[in-house]
Amino acid sequence: MENKIAIIFGVTGQAGSLLLDLLLSKGYFVYGAARRVSNPNLQRLQHNLPNKNFKLLSADITDTSSLVNIFAKIDSDEVEIYNCAAMSHVAISFEQPGLTWDVTAKGHLNLLETVRHFAKYKSLKVFFCGSSEMFGSNVDGDDFQRETTTFTPNSPYATAKLAAFNLNKIYREAYGINTRAGIIFNMESSRRGENFVTRKITKYFGQLYNNPFLPKLSLGNITASRDWTHCSDSVKAMWMTMQAPPKDYVIASGEVHTVYDFMKKCYEFIKDKVEIPLKPLEELYEIDPLFYRPLEVQYLAGDASLIKKDLG
Ligand code: G4F
C-alpha cells in the first residue's frame, strides 16, 4: 500500500515535531517545511532526520512562491496539510505585532490561496492550529469556553489567530476547500520552548535539584489559570479531525490550574528527592513586572465535549 502524504508547516516547533512523530508512526510520508535560519533549530526533529519517510523542505509561510514550489514538487493526488507555523508567544506579540500578523494571519492566507489554486489538480485537506487565546477573557455562564463561545481576542497574537481562523472558515464555505481548525488550549511537553511558563518552571526546578542555591525564579502573573494538555494528545486530536469531515473543534483537557498550582506541584515533586533540604517555596520565586502582559487572559477552560461526541 502507498504511504499517505502529509506536509507540516512549522515542523521545527513543539506541535509540528510531535505531529511528525505521530504521522511517521502511522506510516505517512511527511514533508516538513521549515524556514532557513543561520543557526539550525532542528533539535526537536533530529531523531527523524534519517527516516526515509521524512523530507525536510525549505519554505517560509510568509513567501507564497515557496509554498507553490512545495506543492508543485509533491507527486501525489491526496495530501494532508497541517499549519502549525506561527509566532506563538503571546507576550512577544505585543512587541512584534507586525511580524505576528505576517506569519500567523497572512501566512495562513498565503497557504489557503495556494491550496485554492492547487485544489483544481489535487485533493488537499488542511488543518489550522487556532488558539484558545481567541476567546480572550470571555467565558460562558458555566465558566467554560466552547465552539459557540464569542471570541473577544485581547492580544495581537489572538487577533492574528482569529483572522486566520475566520479566513479558514470563509475558504471552506466560499470555495469548498477541505479545511478545518482546532481551537487549541495550551499544549505542553518537554519540547516546549523555554520562554513558556510550564517549561520555564520545570527547567528551574530541574536545575534546583542539582543546585539548591540557584537565584530566585522570576515570574509574572502566577494567578492566571490555564487548561493544559500534553501536546502529544493535542496533535493526536488534530490528526483525528483530519480523518473526519471538515469542522472546527475545541481541543482541550477541561482541567484548569493556576500557574502557582503548577509551580507548587513541581516544588513538591522534587522536595523529597533532593539531598540538601529546599527553602520554602515562597522564598524560591519572585514576581517581576517585566513578565506581565499589557492585557492578560486570566482564565481558560475548554469544553471538549463536541470532539468527544463526534470523534471519540
Ligand atoms: O506559557 P504561556 O506563555 O502561554 P499562553 O500565553 O497561555 O499561550 C500559549 O497557549 C495559547 C493557547 O491558550 C497558545 F495559543 C499560545 O501560542 C501559547 O502556546 O503563559 C501562560 C500563563 C499566562 O497567563 C502568563 O501571563 O502564564 C503566565 N505567566 C506568568 N509568569 C508567564 C510567566 N508566562 C510566561 N511565558 N513567562 C512567565 O514568566
Side-chain angles (χ1 to χ4, degrees):
M1 204 178 84
E2 282 206 358
N3 297 86
K4 285 177 119 182
I5 308 285
I7 312 175
I8 303 174
F9 290 92
V11 72
T12 56
Q14 173 190 225
S17 70
L18 285 168
L19 183 61
L20 174 64
D21 290 350
L22 178 77
L23 296 179
L24 290 174
S25 76
K26 290 188 177 296
Y28 279 68
F29 186 96
V30 186
Y31 294 92
R35 268 180 311 139
R36 202 207 80 83
V37 284
S38 47
N39 289 325
N41 57 347
L42 303 177
Q43 317 81 283
R44 296 183 178 101
L45 38 96
Q46 205 73 43
H47 58 292
N48 283 322
L49 292 176
N51 192 316
K52 65 177 182 13
N53 285 333
F54 175 54
K55 191 167 173 54
L56 189 62
L57 299 172
S58 166
D60 189 325
I61 199 140
T62 63
D63 172 6
T64 308
S65 57
S66 73
L67 305 182
V68 171
N69 286 337
I70 286 197
F71 284 27
K73 261 186 213 138
I74 294 175
D75 185 22
S76 169
D77 290 339
E78 273 190 35
V79 185
E80 293 181 10
I81 301 158
Y82 296 85
N83 183 10
C84 304
M87 198 310 287
S88 63
H89 200 283
V90 177
I92 293 172
S93 79
F94 284 96
E95 278 148 36
Q96 302 185 14
L99 174 81
T100 305
W101 264 73
D102 285 349
V103 178
T104 311
K106 180 71 177 4
H108 192 61
L109 178 60
N110 293 341
L111 180 61
L112 289 170
E113 271 296 294
T114 313
V115 167
R116 180 158 81 94
H117 293 295
F118 275 88
K120 288 169 201 147
Y121 319 107
K122 294 174 196 272
S123 160
L124 303 172
K125 294 201 270 181
V126 179
F127 178 89
F128 172 66
C129 290
S131 165
S132 53
E133 283 285 313
M134 301 187 305
F135 293 119
S137 294
N138 196 27
V139 283
D140 284 353
D142 61 356
D143 283 347
F144 278 94
Q145 289 120 343
R146 47 181 63 81
E147 292 79 2
T148 48
T149 307
T150 304
F151 296 120
T152 60
N154 66 5
S155 66
Y157 168 81
T159 59
K161 279 285 179 190
L162 183 56
F165 178 86
N166 284 333
L167 284 165
N168 204 57
K169 195 158 173 281
I170 288 166
Y171 273 60
R172 181 167 70 221
E173 289 167 8
Y175 305 119
I177 306 286
N178 188 331
T179 183
R180 78 274 293 130
I183 303 170
I184 311 174
F185 286 64
N186 294 49
M187 310 184 264
E188 314 299 323
S189 74
S190 55
R191 293 190 199 172
R192 186 58 141 153
E194 290 178 1
N195 59 353
F196 292 90
V197 81
T198 58
R199 190 65 197 106
K200 186 173 169 181
I201 293 172
T202 53
K203 186 181 178 200
Y204 177 80
F205 282 98
Q207 288 175 339
L208 198 73
Y209 178 83
N210 292 315
N211 174 10
F213 305 107
L214 271 189
K216 287 183 177 178
L217 172 64
S218 293
L219 291 172
N221 175 17
I222 57 172
T223 66
S225 297
R226 287 292 182 272
D227 174 327
W228 283 296
T229 296
H230 197 284
C231 189
S232 302
D233 291 334
S234 313
V235 299
K236 188 172 171 200
M238 295 179 196
W239 174 80
M240 288 171 83
T241 72
M242 200 65 126
Q243 313 315 308
K247 191 167 164 183
D248 303 331
Y249 288 106
V250 158
I251 297 176
S253 70
E255 212 184 296
V256 184
H257 301 276
T258 63
V259 172
Y260 178 82
D261 287 345
F262 183 90
M263 176 168 63
K264 191 160 172 243
K265 201 81 175 162
C266 296
Y267 175 78
E268 283 163 1
F269 182 76
I270 67 156
K271 196 167 71 135
D272 302 329
K273 299 186 174 66
V274 286
E275 282 169 17
I276 305 172
L278 287 185
K279 290 182 191 163
L281 174 59
E282 303 310 318
E283 290 174 32
L284 287 174
Y285 73 91
E286 63 190 1
I287 301 300
D288 185 340
L290 184 72
F291 295 108
Y292 277 114
R293 293 157 187 199
L295 284 173
E296 173 68 289
V297 172
Q298 186 63 23
Y299 181 88
L300 289 171
D303 171 8
S305 46
L306 185 64
I307 193 168
K308 197 169 184 186
K309 175 169 89 50
D310 285 2
L311 308 181

